Amino acid sequence: MADNTTWKFVVWERLNKTGKWCPYSADVSQFLEQSYKKDLDEVSLSDVDENLKIYNVNFKDMVQISTATGTKSTIRRRMCNKDDLLCSGFTWQWHDDHDVWHSYDVEVNNFIEKAHTAAINNSTVALVNGRPWFHSRPPHTPQSLLKPVPGIDPISACSRKTKEEEKVLKLANYEEMDTGIEDVLSEYTKEVNLDISNSKDEDCIICCEPLSGGSSYDDDCSIVQLKLCPHIFHKSCLLAMYNSGPKDKCLQCPVCKKIHGVKYGIQPPGDMIYHILPYSLPGYPECDTIRIIYDIPSGTQGPEHPMPGKKYTSRGFPRHCFLPDNEMGRKVLRLLIKAWKRRLIFTIGRSSTTGEENTVTWNEIHHKTEFGYSRRGHGFPDPNYFNNVLAELEAHGVVDDDVYMWYPA
């Protein structure tokens, strides 16, 4: 049977010198209500708040009395319905120079509370259990409250698969890959007759010499064009560019950055896990949060790294990153998983923040690492983030060919 009772709450208030009613705090109101129901004639507010030790409340005359000055202030017991802002249990106060808190009057209190609620609805801060959260990390969350991301492989299965793929790539013989350079050029380039081309007066962007002349590397005059874009280079220059990179049987146009083939990076082995937190990011009060945790230990550089055989460090791990659990957030997560499997999220090099060499660094795919208020610009809200990160992923050849904007509820 439905209960149509309108719930009522009691709020105790005091009339200040300007004729405005000021609410007592929730604790003081509760204390006064309990004392009132016991039919007590008078109580000392020091029993509930040491800062109010000079005040007594007389229920017979409904006044607050200052034992220091004898000043009397009228009080009242008011019944509020459940929709009244004061019934939330929160009152707004200001702090004076004598370390004493004072309540705002009811009108000002309600005005501030409405503005505060509007700020929350505008989502400039994270929400935890419906209340603002300003810390860069979310609160500790029990394992029982963590949920898998719908439509995406379970965490453990994906983690094992990633480790296996990284192990295969790490143990690959990069010298054997190097021998396939002619096959790479044959697959992704085509010979160009400069005499009938509109580019005969242009320079090769790699060596900065005229295309009509020989390459600065070996004077070879052979000209090739990449198949997926219109840009033309000396064949020898493109060969030299390939040999200076990871030699992963992939070509990236130095002009438009178009990827020819599948690009792999040199990210060292580690773990990527992800799950859903029951909290909301700034700007996304309507949905939960995807948390990604990257963990890469220190180790020894392999043959694909800048200094094979030398130790590398891993600072700041595990690293926590956040996405809203909505359609776009899951799309980006799927692409980040693909980038992780291709070893593109991190690299080994020089840290731009500390200057340390031979350390694990981000690889130009930006992540949001602040959960609450964005103090350092690494959190939400950010209206441009999704466009930017999708462009960064595409620059690494990670696109949504098989990533659909649909996920089960």
Side-chain angles (χ1 to χ4, degrees):
M1 179 176 177
D3 186 358
N4 295 323
T5 303
T6 301
W7 290 95
K8 297 288 186 179
F9 297 85
V10 175
V11 175
W12 285 82
E13 299 170 336
R14 173 182 61 84
L15 192 66
N16 66 15
K17 296 178 180 179
T18 62
K20 302 287 187 179
W21 288 102
C22 295
Y24 287 100
S25 69
D27 289 341
V28 174
S29 281
Q30 185 179 31
F31 170 74
L32 292 175
E33 180 64 15
Q34 291 172 347
S35 301
Y36 177 80
K37 288 183 175 180
K38 292 178 182 178
D39 292 327
L40 299 179
D41 292 332
E42 188 168 310
V43 293
S44 171
L45 296 185
S46 63
D47 293 340
V48 65
D49 188 340
E50 183 63 24
N51 291 323
L52 302 178
K53 62 184 178 181
I54 66 170
Y55 298 111
N56 292 339
V57 167
N58 185 300
F59 291 112
K60 182 178 179 180
D61 298 327
M62 291 297 282
V63 292
Q64 172 186 285
I65 307 168
S66 170
T67 58
T69 64
T71 303
K72 297 182 179 180
S73 302
T74 302
I75 64 171
R76 71 177 181 181
R77 177 177 181 265
R78 185 164 67 91
M79 301 292 290
C80 306
N81 62 42
K82 63 180 181 179
D83 297 323
D84 195 295
L85 293 177
L86 289 175
C87 295
S88 66
F90 294 93
T91 56
W92 289 89
Q93 301 175 323
W94 59 276
H95 191 249
D96 67 15
D97 295 334
H98 303 288
D99 200 30
V100 177
W101 288 94
H102 303 274
S103 296
Y104 287 100
D105 66 62
V106 174
E107 292 180 6
V108 174
N109 186 86
N110 290 350
F111 174 80
I112 296 175
E113 181 64 20
K114 287 179 179 178
H116 177 66
T117 302
I120 293 176
N121 292 334
N122 288 335
S123 305
T124 57
V125 296
L127 297 179
V128 173
N129 301 325
R131 301 303 298 176
W133 185 267
F134 297 95
H135 301 286
S136 61
R137 288 284 183 91
H140 172 72
T141 306
Q143 190 69 29
S144 60
L145 296 181
L146 303 179
K147 299 183 296 183
V149 183
I152 298 180
D153 290 341
I155 296 169
S156 57
C158 180
S159 179
R160 287 196 301 269
K161 188 175 181 182
T162 301
K163 276 190 172 181
E164 290 169 1
E165 290 181 0
E166 286 176 340
K167 185 176 180 180
V168 169
L169 285 169
K170 184 177 181 181
L171 297 177
N173 188 327
Y174 281 81
E175 292 182 359
E176 288 183 5
M177 295 179 69
D178 193 21
T179 62
I181 177 59
E182 290 297 332
D183 293 334
V184 174
L185 291 180
S186 175
E187 183 174 359
Y188 300 121
T189 67
K190 58 184 178 181
E191 295 281 347
V192 174
N193 186 341
L194 199 60
D195 293 334
I196 61 175
S197 170
N198 295 326
S199 304
K200 59 183 179 180
D201 297 327
E202 296 180 5
D203 293 339
C204 172
I205 195 173
I206 299 175
C207 70
C208 298
E209 297 292 340
L211 287 169
S212 57
S215 167
S216 62
Y217 288 95
D218 58 7
D219 294 326
D220 185 356
C221 295
S222 300
I223 304 298
V224 294
Q225 177 184 334
L226 292 170
K227 290 183 177 180
L228 300 182
C229 65
H231 301 112
I232 299 175
F233 313 92
H234 289 123
K235 182 177 180 180
S236 296
C237 293
L238 208 57
L239 176 62
M241 183 189 76
Y242 177 84
N243 286 331
S244 67
K247 306 181 188 68
D248 54 1
K249 295 188 177 181
C250 164
L251 287 174
Q252 183 170 19
C253 177
V255 179
C256 66
K257 308 303 180 183
K258 180 68 176 178
I259 302 291
H260 296 67
V262 178
K263 180 180 179 181
Y264 286 87
I266 60 171
Q267 172 183 289
D271 289 306
M272 174 188 184
I273 64 173
Y274 42 85
H275 44 241
I276 294 178
L277 298 172
Y279 317 123
S280 299
L281 287 167
Y284 300 92
E286 74 287 350
C287 62
D288 291 335
T289 296
I290 298 171
R291 176 169 63 181
I292 305 169
I293 302 177
Y294 297 109
D295 194 9
I296 297 178
S298 300
T300 304
Q301 298 184 47
E304 75 277 26
H305 293 136
M307 300 188 70
K310 187 176 180 63
K311 298 289 185 180
Y312 64 85
T313 59
S314 295
R315 311 294 186 191
F317 287 92
R319 299 188 184 184
H320 293 225
C321 309
F322 306 95
L323 292 166
D325 181 31
N326 57 17
E327 191 174 46
M328 183 58 75
R330 296 182 193 178
K331 172 188 174 78
V332 170
L333 175 61
R334 285 182 179 270
L335 292 172
L336 290 175
I337 293 171
K338 183 186 289 189
W340 172 265
K341 292 177 180 179
R342 295 181 185 176
R343 306 174 70 192
L344 295 169
I345 300 292
F346 296 94
T347 188
I348 293 178
R350 183 178 187 273
S351 170
S352 61
T353 55
T354 66
E356 182 181 8
E357 299 284 356
N358 299 303
T359 190
V360 180
T361 66
W362 292 107
N363 192 31
E364 298 181 347
I365 299 175
H366 286 83
H367 288 62
K368 292 299 185 183
T369 55
E370 290 183 289
F371 171 75
Y373 184 74
S374 183
R375 288 181 173 85
R376 298 177 296 167
H378 301 314
F380 292 99
D382 182 349
N384 300 317
Y385 175 68
F386 287 113
N387 287 336
N388 291 340
V389 73
L390 289 175
E392 291 166 350
L393 285 161
E394 185 176 3
H396 285 277
V398 181
V399 293
D400 57 350
D401 296 332
D402 54 354
V403 179
Y404 303 100
M405 293 289 284
W406 176 89
Y407 307 94

